[in-house]
């Protein structure tokens, strides 16, 4: 299939008469829309890219939440130890967590992708690139989720831990049945924001040649030599996704608050 | 039942308990009073190791609970505690609050715990609140639920840390009433409180703490009628 398939003149010649009677500017715009979305079924490029974007976002978020919760619990457990009775193993693990947070929060996401994509993992195939992207974004997100989760754990009053312990539950049982369920509820709005950030950050995975929706828009530009319509469309796609997500999170939050009502 | 030997507790440089010795018998209702900062709450919280003593021994039913070999979680099952701020679990219903420990610690099945929870709610006069959330209840009701929760594990002794101090005045009575009923049923109780009426009426022994030590103790009538220590006389003249 010829890459250079079509130009304005040949498209106009085949177009219906009402288009030919339009002013030049509108004809140009319609042609751009045509070759961005319709010609060679390019809309499927966007939908294929969106699939990758969604998969990356969801998997990276899950990985980030799991990593973040683990790090937050380790850091909280470490910080709540009594002076003079410190557990050395916990000290070492806490130190590793601190290094992780410092490195991840201290370097740009783009650089992390370059390092993972071209130094550490070097994916060849698309599915390898997908895994590489998910892992990188997940590790990145985990560092931010960790701080969100830690603030959530610290927001629960010390009396809750004391009440749990006074009943004979051990530290982990109290964490699991009493502290974490309350903390999770408190941090859900902040986690929602993290999810939105992550969705937008997935646009960076195109540097490791993963064909997400941004990469697909770039591909279309490479074929049409016209950036306006593909990139404005791309921006609108992200905007609509974020608006939908914000709306859903708002509904979810109101639902949660409903159970706090007297 | 509880033997406290030379108990010391410091927070950093601040010495809160300065070698407290005390013996509490089964069935006693010991009331601890004293000015704020005297160490009475710290003393109580040391009894179930919510505060770890700096030095000294606490022997509970023949077991030294300050020793490293002791599993404090097993000991705490037999020592219930009621807090000033209630500390109910806000994400759980009243019934779940009471059932949590017995079920998760596998001392009761779901059904047994459920039955026990309803019994206890009956006992604290709130049988219709089983499926309410703590936030829907008044302070007095919350504290009564907290007492029910502490009783769920069938403890041998109940520790009360200023149980009525966070309550509106009109709710103090209902909580004290429950505590009095518990006392009449023979429960061993150690109560830190500012309620002198309760100390006089329910206590079998009253301790006065000041400056990290128990400076005077007696049975309630004699304690309030003829205080000997000048600090106690001063304290009583201010609170009575």
């Amino acid at each position: 299939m010829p890459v250079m398939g079509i130009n304005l003149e040949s498209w106009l010649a085949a177009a219906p008469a009402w288009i030919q009677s339009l002013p030049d500017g509108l004809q140009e715009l319609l042609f751009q829309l045509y070759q961005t979305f319709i010609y060679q079924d390019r809309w499927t490029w966007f939908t294929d890219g969106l699939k990758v974007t969604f998969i990356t976002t969801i998997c990276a978020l899950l990985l980030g939440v799991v990593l973040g919760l683990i790090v937050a619990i380790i850091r909280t457990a470490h910080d709540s130890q009594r002076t003079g009775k410190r557990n050395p193993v916990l000290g070492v693990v806490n130190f590793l967590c601190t290094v992780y947070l410092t490195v991840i929060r201290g370097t740009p996401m783009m650089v992390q992708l370059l390092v993972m994509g071209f130094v550490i993992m070097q994916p060849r195939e698309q599915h390898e690139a997908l895994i590489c992207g998910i892992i990188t974004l997940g590790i990145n997100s985990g560092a931010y989720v960790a701080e969100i989760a830690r603030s959530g754990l610290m927001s629960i009053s010390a009396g809750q831990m004391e009440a749990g312990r006074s009943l004979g539950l051990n530290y982990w049982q109290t964490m699991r049945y009493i502290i974490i369920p309350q903390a999770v509820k408190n941090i859900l709005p902040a986690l929602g924001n993290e999810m939105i950030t992550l969705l937008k950050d997935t646009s960076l995975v195109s540097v490791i040649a993963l064909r997400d929706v941004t990469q697909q828009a770039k591909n279309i530009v490479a074929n049409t030599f016209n950036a306006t319509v593909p990139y404005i469309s791309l921006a609108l796609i992200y905007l609509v996704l974020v608006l939908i997500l914000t709306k859903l999170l708002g509904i979810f939050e109101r639902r949660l608050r409903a159970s706090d009502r007297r | 039942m509880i033997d406290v030997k030379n108990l010391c507790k410091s927070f950093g440089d601040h010495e809160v308990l300065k070698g407290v010795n005390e013996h509490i018998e089964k069935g006693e209702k010991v009331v601890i009073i004293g000015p704020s900062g005297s160490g009475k709450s710290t003393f109580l919280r040391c009894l179930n190791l919510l505060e770890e003593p700096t030095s000294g021994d606490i022997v509970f039913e023949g077991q030294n609970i300050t020793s490293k070999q002791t599993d404090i979680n097993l000991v705490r099952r037999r020592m219930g505690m009621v807090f000033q701020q209630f500390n109910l679990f806000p994400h759980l219903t009243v019934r779940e609050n009471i059932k949590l420990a017995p079920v998760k610690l596998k001392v009761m099945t779901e059904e047994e715990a459920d039955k026990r929870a309803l019994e206890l709610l009956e006992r604290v006069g709130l049988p219709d609140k089983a499926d309410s959330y703590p936030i829907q209840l008044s302070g007095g009701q919350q504290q009564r639920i907290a007492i029910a929760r502490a009783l769920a594990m069938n403890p041998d002794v109940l520790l009360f840390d200023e149980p009525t101090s966070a309550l509106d005045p009109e709710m103090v009575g209902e909580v004290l009433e429950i505590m009095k009923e518990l006392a009449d049923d023979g429960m061993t109780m150690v109560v830190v409180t500012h309620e002198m009426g309760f100390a006089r009426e329910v206590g079998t022994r009253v301790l006065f703490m000041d400056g990290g030590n128990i400076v005077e103790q007696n049975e309630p009538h004699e304690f309030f009628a003829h205080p000997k220590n000048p600090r106690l006389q001063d304290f009583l003249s201010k609170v009575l």
Side-chain angles (χ1 to χ4, degrees):
Chain A
M1 185 178 294
V3 180
M4 286 296 302
I6 193 169
N7 59 38
L8 180 58
E9 287 70 32
S10 59
W11 177 71
L12 263 182
W18 64 272
I19 290 179
Q20 291 172 17
S21 64
L22 288 172
D24 284 358
L26 266 180
Q27 283 181 357
E28 172 73 23
L29 178 64
L30 283 175
F31 172 62
Q32 293 298 341
L33 283 169
Y34 174 80
Q35 66 169 359
T36 301
F37 289 105
I38 298 166
Y39 184 65
Q40 293 180 341
D41 280 343
R42 283 189 183 137
W43 60 272
T44 60
W45 297 22
F46 280 104
T47 51
D48 288 349
L50 274 174
K51 261 183 240 160
V52 173
T53 295
F54 287 146
I55 292 171
T56 314
T57 306
I58 290 166
C59 295
L61 188 77
L62 289 178
L63 179 60
V65 167
V66 171
L67 262 179
L69 269 183
I70 292 172
V71 171
I73 289 170
I74 291 171
R75 302 249 297 144
T76 312
H78 177 267
D79 291 348
S80 61
Q81 287 182 105
R82 288 157 194 269
T83 40
K85 278 197 71 179
R86 295 198 176 274
N87 178 340
V89 180
L90 198 52
V92 173
V93 181
N94 180 64
F95 175 73
L96 292 177
C97 289
T98 319
V99 170
Y100 162 66
L101 293 178
T102 310
V103 170
I104 296 301
R105 298 202 299 164
T107 54
M109 167 90 96
M110 174 73 109
V111 175
Q112 291 164 20
L113 276 165
L114 291 173
V115 170
M116 280 297 267
F118 297 98
V119 182
I120 298 174
M121 290 182 73
Q122 300 181 347
R124 296 266 173 271
E125 308 283 330
Q126 267 304 294
H127 71 268
E128 290 174 0
L130 181 66
I131 289 169
C132 177
I134 288 170
I135 290 177
T136 314
L137 289 178
I139 290 176
N140 180 284
S141 183
Y144 293 94
V145 172
E147 292 302 276
I148 294 171
R150 196 161 72 97
S151 75
L153 292 175
M154 290 193 311
S155 72
I156 307 302
S157 83
Q160 293 288 308
M161 177 57 84
E162 287 182 354
R165 300 304 305 274
S166 78
L167 288 165
L169 300 167
N170 66 31
Y171 180 86
W172 293 110
Q173 288 167 329
T174 310
M175 269 288 177
R176 181 168 159 211
Y177 300 119
I178 296 164
I179 309 292
I180 292 178
Q182 296 182 55
V184 165
K185 198 169 156 185
N186 287 354
I187 65 174
L188 274 175
L191 272 187
N193 282 336
E194 176 60 24
M195 191 167 157
I196 289 172
T197 306
L198 192 58
L199 171 71
K200 291 184 293 180
D201 282 350
T202 55
S203 62
L204 292 171
V205 295
S206 52
V207 300
I208 56 169
L210 181 55
R211 287 199 284 275
D212 74 319
V213 70
T214 301
Q215 180 66 31
Q216 298 289 39
K218 281 176 163 176
N219 288 344
I220 290 172
V221 172
N223 280 295
T224 62
F225 304 114
N226 194 305
T228 314
V229 172
Y231 285 164
I232 299 282
S233 308
L234 179 65
L236 288 174
I237 288 171
Y238 279 113
L239 185 59
V240 168
L241 288 180
V242 170
L243 286 177
I244 292 172
L245 209 52
T246 311
K247 188 85 192 156
L248 289 177
L249 288 168
I251 293 170
F252 191 51
E253 241 179 87
R254 268 198 297 285
R255 183 94 32 100
L256 270 184
R257 268 206 303 272
S259 70
D260 288 342
R261 270 189 219 122
R262 284 159 195 261
Chain B
M1 176 181 243
I2 306 176
D3 224 347
V4 180
K5 291 174 202 150
N6 206 21
L7 180 66
C8 295
K9 172 68 184 177
S10 303
F11 293 102
D13 293 335
H14 181 50
E15 213 181 354
V16 179
L17 296 179
K18 301 169 183 167
V20 177
N21 290 289
E22 189 49 53
H23 182 78
I24 295 165
E25 286 290 343
K26 190 170 169 55
E28 273 196 297
K29 296 92 181 69
V30 177
V31 180
I32 306 173
I33 64 170
S36 52
S38 59
K40 53 192 192 311
S41 271
T42 305
F43 173 70
L44 188 78
R45 290 159 56 84
C46 278
L47 294 182
N48 67 350
L49 254 54
L50 276 188
E51 299 294 349
E52 225 159 305
T54 311
S55 67
D57 291 318
I58 299 166
V59 180
F60 176 60
E61 295 184 332
Q63 189 179 18
N64 188 344
I65 65 172
T66 40
S67 126
K68 286 230 182 307
Q69 281 80 43
T70 305
D71 181 353
I72 188 61
N73 297 315
L74 290 177
V75 176
R76 284 183 181 139
R77 294 181 186 189
R78 295 184 283 142
M79 300 175 116
M81 188 161 201
V82 176
F83 299 86
Q84 182 176 355
Q85 299 295 340
F86 330 135
N87 295 342
L88 291 179
F89 308 133
H91 61 304
L92 301 176
T93 62
V94 163
R95 182 201 304 266
E96 291 164 341
N97 262 276
I98 300 173
K99 284 166 64 179
L100 180 80
V103 172
K104 297 304 179 194
L105 295 173
K106 299 190 171 61
V107 291
M108 291 180 201
T109 64
E110 278 286 330
E111 294 74 39
E112 286 167 354
D114 210 58
K115 195 160 152 275
R116 175 88 179 129
L118 292 175
E119 263 170 41
L120 287 168
L121 285 174
E122 196 76 49
R123 186 162 174 187
V124 299
L126 296 167
D128 53 332
K129 299 294 185 190
D131 297 309
S132 303
Y133 282 89
I135 197 170
Q136 299 165 322
L137 305 176
S138 72
Q141 291 172 330
Q142 290 195 43
Q143 194 61 299
R144 284 147 73 190
I145 302 296
I147 293 172
R149 182 179 69 181
L151 287 169
M153 294 292 289
N154 294 317
D156 300 331
V157 54
L158 270 187
L159 311 175
F160 293 83
D161 189 2
E162 302 199 23
T164 58
S165 297
L167 295 174
D168 290 342
E170 77 266 28
M171 293 168 182
V172 170
E174 58 187 84
V175 172
L176 292 180
E177 191 53 40
I178 300 290
M179 291 169 63
K180 193 166 171 299
E181 285 170 27
L182 276 175
D184 292 343
D185 289 349
M187 175 62 79
T188 310
M189 294 161 64
V190 185
V191 185
V192 171
T193 188
H194 295 295
E195 294 293 328
M196 298 303 148
F198 178 83
R200 205 192 304 248
E201 197 183 339
V202 182
T204 53
R205 191 150 59 94
V206 186
L207 313 182
F208 175 66
M209 285 190 76
D210 187 39
N213 257 313
I214 297 170
V215 295
E216 181 161 345
Q217 58 169 293
N218 215 329
E219 57 84 24
H221 180 77
E222 196 55 23
F223 183 90
F224 288 106
H226 305 290
K228 293 174 195 68
N229 186 291
R231 276 293 293 134
L232 175 57
Q233 290 166 356
D234 183 48
F235 180 76
L236 288 178
S237 73
K238 281 174 187 156
V239 297
L240 287 181

